């Protein structure tokens, strides 16, 4: 079967493919360092290595689909965040992006704290030895059991999300004879998502207590009256995959505004503020994320300035990056199974995974890039759509991509920047077995989350 290359666009408007793809890259073999993890490179013989390991060998040893996580890159990003924020601030890694015991150990060693949002994440953190005082518990509907587990363990922070929760946490703390440090999560009236900065309709959401209608101030009043709770600060998280610092600046200003009100009303200066996570990463070379030191400077400056003008001492700042730490450090490796060419339109390339290991394309219309990594190719670029093996047409991994026209079953494709919210949101749809996560570093690879087996699936099915 011959597969012709498709030039940058279709010839007829009536077969115009949907999507907004850029023209084909000049060199399909190049691995753009903006989207690949630090140690991923193509060698002169055309093979690709990560952490000093040959990717085709990794596929043989660990199978596909699989996530390969560049441990050196992960640790370097942790260190960059720590160094940028310095001793006067705390960096809480958001475990929802991807959490495993190995990750917890790396975080512990690199001096990061950890934000968890469920009993499962908390159990993983404690089991792998994260000191409880470095853990923060989040969630808009924490169960009493989750609260008990957290208070009993002695977590350093519970972020209160509702009036009901204030009472629940206070009861648990009292019963266990503890005084639990808490922050109050407020909605500041900005919601920022990918390149957008929307200043309306933001309080209309399930999280937090609004500043605008006085709920946040009322929450402060209630918490300050309860002996079991020690109010340490105010928390705000404004969205995901954010590139523009303007939303954070508004958020910081409004949070400091509340600290000022609290001082004026109660004579109390709260010692902490947390500005959440949400910092964007490059999924494609068009994305232009901020570096940790730029983020730290922008946030530090605005908090300092606002506090000085309000006559407040500067509180201890914390942030909660998840995606920005783990996202760029992993790629998903797939094997090509079938290749279906639609003349004049595009070529559908089916891989051995799909929406069960990366739901983000189907769910958020997320954009990814993809490269042939088992060999180099000099073939023409072919407009392709990388799809999975699940039983629905929305099962798309990479909507629009150029791949070499000699692509064939058995070739290996890698999709970079899948470290965040891919394994953590993976499912067993169609009874797919969730892929392993393999950490690679300095010429060694080890499984940190193993591949699911049919026995795992059947064990849950108790007949
Ligand atoms: N802190 C809080 C309170 C959060 O709710 C989140 C994310 C973070 C920190 C970390 O945000 P990050 O730095 O990772 O963007 N499943 C979606 C993302 C949902 C994020 C939910 N909260 C995705 O795949 O894009």
């Amino acid at each position: 079967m011959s597969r012709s290359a498709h030039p940058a666009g279709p010839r007829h408007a009536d077969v115009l493919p949907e999507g907004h793809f850029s023209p084909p890259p000049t060199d399909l073999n190049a691995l753009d360092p903006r989207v690949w993890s630090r140690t991923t490179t193509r060698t002169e013989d055309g093979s690709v290595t990560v952490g000093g390991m040959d990717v085709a060998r990794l596929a043989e040893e660990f199978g596909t689909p699989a996530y390969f996580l560049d441990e050196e890159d992960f640790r370097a990003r942790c260190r960059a965040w720590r160094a940028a924020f310095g001793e006067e601030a705390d960096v809480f890694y958001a475990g929802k992006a991807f959490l495993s015991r190995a990750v917890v150990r790396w975080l512990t060693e690199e001096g990061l704290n950890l934000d968890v949002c469920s009993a499962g994440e908390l159990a993983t953190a404690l089991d792998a030895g994260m000191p409880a005082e470095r853990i923060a518990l989040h969630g808009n509907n924490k169960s009493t059991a989750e609260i008990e587990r957290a208070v009993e363990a002695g977590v350093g922070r519970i972020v209160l999300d509702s009036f009901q929760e204030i009472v629940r946490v206070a009861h648990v703390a009292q019963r266990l004879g503890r005084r639990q440090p808490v922050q109050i999560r407020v909605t500041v009236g900005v919601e920022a998502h990918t390149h957008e900065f929307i200043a309306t309709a933001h309080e209309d959401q399930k999280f937090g207590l609004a500043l605008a209608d006085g709920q946040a101030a009322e929450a402060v009043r209630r918490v300050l009256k309860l002996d079991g709770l020690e109010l340490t600060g105010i928390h705000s998280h404004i969205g995901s995959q954010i590139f523009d610092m303007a939303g954070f600046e508004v958020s910081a200003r409004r949070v400091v505004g509340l600290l000022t009100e609290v001082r004026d009303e109660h004579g109390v200066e709260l010692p902490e503020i947390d500005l959440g996570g949400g910092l964007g990463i490059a999924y494609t070379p068009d994305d232009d994320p901020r570096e940790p030191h730029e983020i730290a400077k922008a946030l530090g400056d605005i908090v300092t300035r606002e506090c000085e003008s309000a006559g407040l001492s500067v509180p201890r700042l914390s942030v909660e990056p998840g995606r920005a730490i783990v996202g760029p450090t992993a790629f998903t490796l797939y094997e090509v199974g079938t290749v279906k060419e639609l003349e004049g339109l595009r070529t559908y390339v089916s891989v051995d995974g799909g929406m069960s290991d990366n739901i983000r394309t189907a769910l958020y219309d997320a954009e990814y890039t993809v490269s042939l990594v088992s060999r180099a190719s000099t073939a023409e670029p072919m407009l392709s759509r990388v799809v999975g093996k699940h039983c629905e047409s929305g099962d798309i991994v990479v909507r629009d991509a150029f791949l070499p026209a000699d692509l064939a079953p058995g070739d290996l494709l890698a999709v970079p920047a899948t470290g965040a919210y891919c394994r953590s949101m993976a499912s067993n749809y169609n009874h797919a077995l969730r892929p392993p996560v393999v950490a690679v570093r300095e010429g060694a690879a080890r499984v940190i989350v193993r591949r699911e087996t049919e026995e795992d699936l059947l064990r849950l099915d108790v007949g």
Side-chain angles (χ1 to χ4, degrees):
M1 187 186 74
S2 82
R3 259 178 276 114
S4 60
H6 297 296
R11 270 150 276 159
H12 306 292
D14 56 341
V15 291
L16 189 75
E18 329 137 19
H20 34 86
F21 39 87
S22 321
T26 42
D27 179 5
L28 282 180
N29 296 314
L31 299 179
D32 192 316
R34 285 171 291 189
V35 296
W36 291 89
S37 82
R38 213 158 288 219
T39 75
T40 309
T41 46
R42 195 181 291 271
T43 53
E44 282 189 1
D45 67 0
S47 59
V48 172
T49 64
V50 57
M53 304 282 290
D54 181 74
V55 168
R57 287 266 182 80
L58 289 171
E60 271 168 34
E61 186 172 348
F62 299 101
T64 56
Y67 307 97
F68 290 95
L69 197 162
D70 184 339
E71 179 181 341
E72 194 177 311
D73 195 7
F74 186 98
R75 287 179 180 270
R77 286 174 192 279
C78 289
R79 286 196 286 271
W81 277 86
R82 269 258 35 97
F85 280 85
E87 293 307 312
E88 306 304 310
D90 295 302
V91 180
F92 285 74
Y93 169 77
K96 65 203 82 183
F98 172 64
L99 197 65
S100 76
R101 286 189 277 209
V103 164
V104 174
R105 283 191 287 270
W106 302 338
L107 295 168
T108 312
E109 288 165 14
E110 301 297 347
L112 269 68
N113 295 357
L114 177 60
D115 137 13
V116 299
C117 65
S118 69
E121 289 184 0
L122 178 60
T124 306
L126 293 172
D127 187 81
M130 175 60 77
E133 63 275 12
R134 284 165 60 183
I135 300 175
L137 177 66
H138 276 276
N140 68 302
N141 187 17
K142 307 168 190 77
S143 70
T144 303
E146 284 171 321
I147 295 166
E148 276 168 359
R149 179 95 174 86
V151 175
E152 238 163 27
V155 300
R157 175 183 300 176
I158 294 182
V159 182
L160 301 170
D161 214 283
S162 66
F163 288 125
Q164 289 86 351
E165 201 172 84
I166 294 172
V167 178
R168 275 182 211 145
V169 176
H171 274 152
V172 171
Q174 204 172 19
R175 188 149 39 81
L176 296 172
R178 298 285 174 88
R179 188 146 193 265
Q180 176 61 50
V182 294
Q183 292 190 343
I184 293 171
R185 177 163 175 175
V186 302
T187 46
V188 292
V190 290
E191 187 187 359
H193 284 291
T194 320
H195 304 299
E196 285 170 29
F197 176 28
I198 307 157
T200 54
H202 34 269
E203 269 105 16
D204 186 2
Q205 56 151 311
K206 69 174 181 171
F207 292 108
L209 293 138
L211 281 178
D213 64 4
Q215 291 210 353
E218 175 58 19
V220 171
R221 273 175 220 119
R222 294 189 193 182
V223 172
L224 286 176
K225 284 195 192 119
L226 294 165
D227 291 339
L229 304 181
E230 179 196 350
L231 182 60
T232 61
I234 301 298
H235 180 285
S236 158
H237 171 78
I238 56 170
S240 296
Q241 184 61 359
I242 303 164
F243 294 99
D244 186 349
M245 293 307 292
F248 285 102
E249 293 190 7
V250 176
S251 166
R253 204 171 304 130
R254 294 190 185 163
V255 167
V256 173
L258 179 61
L259 294 191
T260 313
E261 276 178 44
V262 171
R263 190 238 359 238
D264 295 346
E265 183 178 340
H266 305 281
V268 177
E269 285 201 24
L270 299 179
E272 295 173 355
I273 68 173
D274 187 311
L275 294 175
L279 288 314
I281 63 163
Y283 285 102
T284 76
D286 295 337
D287 295 324
D288 184 23
R290 305 273 70 78
E291 292 293 325
H293 66 88
E294 297 174 82
I295 296 161
K297 179 160 182 0
L299 297 183
D301 285 356
I302 184 88
V303 170
T304 305
R305 193 163 63 236
E306 292 297 311
C307 287
E308 276 170 4
S309 78
L312 284 171
S313 33
V314 179
R316 188 171 179 86
L317 177 64
S318 50
V319 285
E320 300 171 336
R323 186 192 323 264
I325 291 178
V326 72
T329 68
F331 60 79
T332 315
L333 190 64
Y334 300 102
E335 186 179 306
V336 174
T338 65
V339 180
K340 167 177 155 173
E341 183 191 357
L342 297 178
E343 191 63 50
L345 201 53
R346 77 180 87 243
T347 297
Y348 281 82
V349 176
S350 294
V351 295
D352 50 357
M355 64 195 297
S356 55
D357 59 70
N358 187 351
I359 189 66
R360 298 192 69 261
T361 307
L363 197 56
Y364 312 119
D365 217 3
E367 285 185 49
Y368 286 92
T369 64
V370 57
S371 291
L372 169 63
V373 292
S374 40
R375 60 185 172 93
S377 168
T378 52
E380 292 289 291
M382 163 177 84
L383 178 59
S384 310
R385 178 161 292 175
V386 179
V387 295
K389 58 181 289 164
H390 294 284
C391 296
E392 59 180 88
S393 45
D395 175 25
I396 296 168
V397 181
V398 186
R399 189 172 299 281
D400 298 305
F402 284 96
L403 286 167
D406 63 352
L407 197 75
D411 278 333
L412 296 176
L413 295 182
V415 175
T418 59
Y421 303 108
C422 286
R423 180 58 181 81
S424 68
M425 291 170 70
S427 78
N428 290 123
Y429 183 42
N430 297 147
H431 282 201
L433 304 169
R434 287 179 294 175
V437 182
V438 180
V440 187
R441 187 189 190 193
E442 291 173 358
R446 70 189 167 105
V447 174
I448 59 170
V449 178
R450 72 159 167 78
R451 186 184 300 284
E452 267 179 335
T453 61
E454 285 175 8
E455 294 75 65
D456 290 328
L457 280 186
L458 291 170
R459 202 173 299 138
L460 298 178
D461 182 337
V462 292

